[in-house]
Amino acid sequence: MDETAFPGRLPERDRPWVMRTYAGHSSATASNALFRRNLAKGQTGLSVAFDLPTQTGYDPDHELASGEVGRVGVPVAHLGDMRALFDGIPLADTNTSMTINAPAMWLLALYGTVATEQGAEPARCAGTTQNDIIKEYLSRGTYIFPPAASLRLTADVVAYTLREMPRWNPVNICSYHLQEAGATPVQEVGFALATAVAVLDAVRDSGQVPAERMGDVVQRISFFVNAGVRFVEEIAKMRAFGVLWDEITRDRYGVTEARQRRFRYGVQVNSLGLTEAQPENNIQRIVLEMLGVTMSRDARARAVQLPAWNEALGLPRPWDQQWSLRMQQVLAYESDLLEYPDIFAGSHVMTALVDEIVTGARVELDKVLELGGVVAAVETGYLKSALVGSLAERRRRMESGADVVVGVNRYTETESSPLTAAGAEAVEQVDPAVEEAATEGVRRWRADRDAAAVDAALARLRADAATTTNLMPATLECVRAGVTTGEWSGALRHVFGEYRAPTGLAGATGSGGDPGLAAVRERVAATARELGSGRLRLLVGKPGLDGHSNGAEQIAVRARDAGFEVIYQGIRLTAGQIVAAAVEEDVDLVGLSVLSGSHLAAVPAVLDGLRAAGRADLPVVVGGIIPTGDADTLRAAGVARVFTPKDFALTDIIDDLVTVIRRANALP
């Protein structure tokens, strides 16, 4: 049989999607070496992870950067760092994605300047700045400025790239973190499209783009989505995204060319769905999630990056990233997936599921627009509360066993895994000296530049920010003058102010029929009576720059349902602020949440602060992605309990918190 003549086969294989791994850590030089290795292994695009100080606009020597430098990505404080990051990598020939949001304009200006220094015209550069600030207020937490000012920056970047970098995707509407924060498929589609509408409206209303060029703007807007393990539902979700995007861009913005209305997206499959328990199961999860965004030709991702099997344990090693890259390559080059048209065309099951998601997402989108748009829905707390509530329901289903997670709430008996037998060697370790080197490096950079040129560039930036002038030219001047990331952000903080997003706890409830909660509620009430207080008081704190607050918020909701009075001020707090709140509120317990890997710096700082404040007696517990050895270190330092992702039963955790309080107060 001649297989090439098989009915339904495409005349030639589709080109594979762009294959990436999300990478960057320690330093620009170390990350550059990692990029080169990954490209040599067949990776076809770069996806740059920046550390939290860079993402939130701080230099490595800022107080809030302590313990965070180089941990979840590469620190880029100035033009010299960007030069080192891409040394020897031809930017004109490399598709580069940068996961950066609040300071996206700044990083793009650094990137474009380095490309020009390499001799590449910016117009030749292809890639993406994520630059979706709305989801930062809802899920990831790396925002800086208020929503309206942030949208202004995004619109300025869109207008600039339309003129100067036409192959660049200036914004990547990101529903990825919405799913991690609890969004159902319907909410994920509806809320992401509401963000896209806000961006396009901001560009249109800025007056920087002629009406006849809105089609050019639309075709450069891309999306970045999450793919969970329910891969049939994920396929339907992506097809629904395409249906609604086509409808919105045609009807709201008058884009007549179907080519410009095509839904373009990249994907990172679900990292927070990976488990610490039986981590080898994460391999099949990643494969199934990859299928959800590749099987349907009409809704196939343009770029895919896969997490590593051990991301729930810590920072993946180069070998772990290679394994994820090889999964993509086997699917693209060994299977016959790319030889056929869409295999779901005509499926009544898929059509019904897509229609269901489209209908529900329209309702969510209309609701947000009726509130005044996505900015108003952020500022009122509507979107955050909806996500906190959805995540609470998801957690309830997992805790009850209605949703099965193999190795976590079912089939927990296991053999020892050879993948984790090496202990701490199973993940990449970040040398503590990295932060010291970065701090010294940024200070040398400041000392060696022309101070007058820096002052003039920052003065222009502040002046332009006070008007409606596009801020990209002033930002490029700052880059060339040697301004740092923290200085650029600081100048705009001076004009725009900072912002603290709603926590979403108001009205959210997560107990949902948990039969064990009544007993815990009685223990909470009894302990309060024995201590002679009205209610037990729990302070939930997020030290440092870690903005992933989903877990902390779920603990806060369940503790409140159990009868605790919960004090939660949101993300991005210094150790001093947490200590001050604990003392002022006279709490019974401090719970710290750290997912960025900075726990060995952040937690001792809080413990030391409590001792200095005369509250060494106040018990402290910690939750996060914390290796076993680090957990032992924290307990030796005085931490009463350490919780990690394997501790998924929230009511049991709250019960344990009551035990900690009783023991700290010598109650039986």
Side-chain angles (χ1 to χ4, degrees), residues 413-501:
E413 292 298 319
T414 183
E415 303 294 334
S416 297
S417 170
L419 291 175
T420 57
E425 295 177 11
V427 293
E428 186 83 17
Q429 301 296 307
V430 176
D431 189 336
V434 162
E435 185 164 317
E436 184 179 345
T439 297
E440 179 58 31
V442 76
R443 289 172 179 165
R444 283 197 310 271
W445 177 267
R446 294 194 198 108
D448 292 343
R449 64 193 181 176
D450 182 339
V454 168
D455 291 343
L458 289 172
R460 178 188 175 185
L461 179 66
R462 287 191 295 269
D464 284 359
T467 70
T468 58
T469 302
N470 189 300
L471 293 179
M472 197 68 183
T475 296
L476 285 165
E477 182 180 330
C478 286
V479 168
R480 292 188 289 265
V483 167
T484 67
T485 298
E487 290 167 338
W488 178 86
S489 300
L492 294 183
R493 282 184 171 98
H494 179 76
V495 179
F496 297 148
E498 290 196 79
Y499 186 73
R500 294 198 70 80

Side-chain angles (χ1 to χ4, degrees), residues 11-361:
E12 59 182 47
R13 284 175 62 93
D14 274 347
R15 286 195 335 179
W17 51 90
V18 176
M19 299 183 189
R20 310 186 195 272
T21 52
Y22 185 49
H25 66 84
S26 300
S27 68
T29 301
S31 297
N32 173 265
L34 179 60
F35 291 168
R36 290 186 186 216
R37 287 201 301 274
N38 287 345
L39 290 170
K41 293 171 183 173
Q43 183 174 301
T44 53
L46 294 177
S47 181
V48 184
F50 295 98
D51 72 353
L52 288 174
T54 304
Q55 292 185 51
T56 51
Y58 293 107
D59 289 334
D61 58 349
H62 192 279
E63 177 188 10
L64 277 169
S66 176
E68 306 279 14
V69 177
R71 288 212 167 267
V72 300
V74 56
V76 174
H78 48 70
L79 182 58
D81 286 341
M82 191 64 91
R83 287 170 179 151
L85 184 63
F86 292 111
D87 182 43
I89 298 174
L91 296 184
D93 303 320
T94 306
N95 190 301
T96 306
S97 173
M98 295 191 287
T99 301
I100 197 75
N101 296 281
M105 176 183 285
W106 173 248
L107 271 295
L108 180 60
L110 290 172
Y111 180 92
T113 300
V114 170
T116 300
E117 290 177 349
Q118 290 184 355
E121 291 292 330
R124 292 176 55 203
C125 292
T128 303
T129 33
Q130 189 172 102
N131 204 11
D132 171 6
I133 197 61
I134 297 299
K135 61 93 174 52
E136 299 300 323
Y137 304 115
L138 302 177
S139 53
R140 194 163 172 268
T142 64
Y143 56 82
I144 302 174
F145 316 112
S150 296
L151 272 179
R152 181 255 180 102
L153 290 173
T154 299
D156 283 357
V157 170
V158 173
Y160 170 82
T161 55
L162 190 66
R163 294 190 306 268
E164 306 294 336
M165 302 178 71
R167 298 181 63 202
W168 195 266
N169 299 321
V171 60
N172 205 215
I173 305 298
C174 183
S175 71
Y176 176 90
H177 300 91
L178 300 182
Q179 185 182 119
E180 286 193 340
T184 64
V186 162
Q187 289 174 322
E188 185 180 343
V189 175
F191 294 171
L193 290 175
T195 297
V197 166
V199 169
L200 289 172
D201 282 359
V203 172
R204 180 194 61 195
D205 298 344
S206 73
Q208 299 185 69
V209 177
E212 64 271 16
R213 294 211 63 190
M214 282 303 292
D216 296 326
V217 172
V218 166
Q219 74 174 353
R220 299 316 309 175
I221 303 296
S222 62
F223 288 72
F224 185 72
V225 307
N226 198 335
V229 75
R230 293 171 57 85
F231 69 97
V232 176
E233 189 173 71
E234 293 294 349
I235 293 169
K237 180 187 78 180
M238 299 321 306
R239 294 169 76 96
F241 253 129
V243 169
L244 285 170
W245 181 243
D246 184 77
E247 177 184 298
I248 290 167
T249 53
R250 182 191 64 236
D251 297 346
R252 189 179 181 94
Y253 302 104
V255 180
T256 57
E257 291 190 35
R259 171 183 58 85
Q260 293 180 321
R261 299 197 307 267
R262 182 180 177 188
F263 183 77
R264 301 160 57 253
Y265 76 98
V267 64
Q268 160 91 13
V269 308
N270 189 13
S271 294
L272 282 191
L274 305 182
T275 63
E276 177 188 12
Q278 298 180 27
E280 60 275 10
N281 294 339
N282 294 329
I283 296 299
Q284 48 266 37
R285 292 186 180 109
I286 292 168
V287 170
L288 290 171
E289 291 163 353
M290 175 175 58
L291 291 177
V293 292
T294 55
M295 287 183 70
S296 173
R297 184 173 186 259
D298 293 346
R300 183 170 293 148
R302 297 283 291 271
V304 177
Q305 57 192 46
L306 303 181
W309 67 276
N310 55 351
E311 286 197 13
L313 307 177
L315 186 66
R317 301 159 299 185
W319 182 85
D320 306 313
Q321 293 188 332
Q322 174 183 300
W323 194 356
S324 292
L325 174 62
R326 295 294 185 247
M327 291 181 204
Q328 295 200 57
Q329 291 169 330
V330 168
L331 179 63
Y333 299 113
E334 292 190 28
S335 83
D336 59 352
L337 179 67
L338 299 180
E339 296 175 10
Y340 294 95
D342 197 298
I343 60 177
F344 295 97
S347 164
H348 65 275
V349 172
M350 186 58 66
T351 298
L353 187 52
V354 170
D355 289 346
E356 180 181 332
I357 295 174
V358 165
T359 300

Side-chain angles (χ1 to χ4, degrees), residues 359-380:
T359 300
R362 272 204 197 98
V363 171
E364 292 289 354
L365 174 59
D366 289 344
K367 191 181 302 182
V368 171
L369 295 179
E370 286 169 9
L371 288 171
V374 76
V375 169
V378 167
E379 293 175 339
T380 61

Side-chain angles (χ1 to χ4, degrees), residues 574-635:
T574 65
Q577 289 171 322
I578 291 172
V579 170
V583 173
E584 182 178 342
E585 299 286 352
D586 191 25
V587 300
D588 298 291
L589 178 68
V590 174
L592 303 177
S593 170
V594 186
L595 278 80
S596 66
S598 65
H599 44 268
L600 291 182
V603 176
V606 173
L607 292 172
D608 291 344
L610 289 172
R611 293 187 191 102
R615 290 304 313 270
D617 60 311
L618 186 58
V620 175
V621 300
V622 180
I625 300 175
I626 301 173
T628 301
D630 289 359
D632 292 340
T633 300
L634 292 175
R635 282 188 284 264

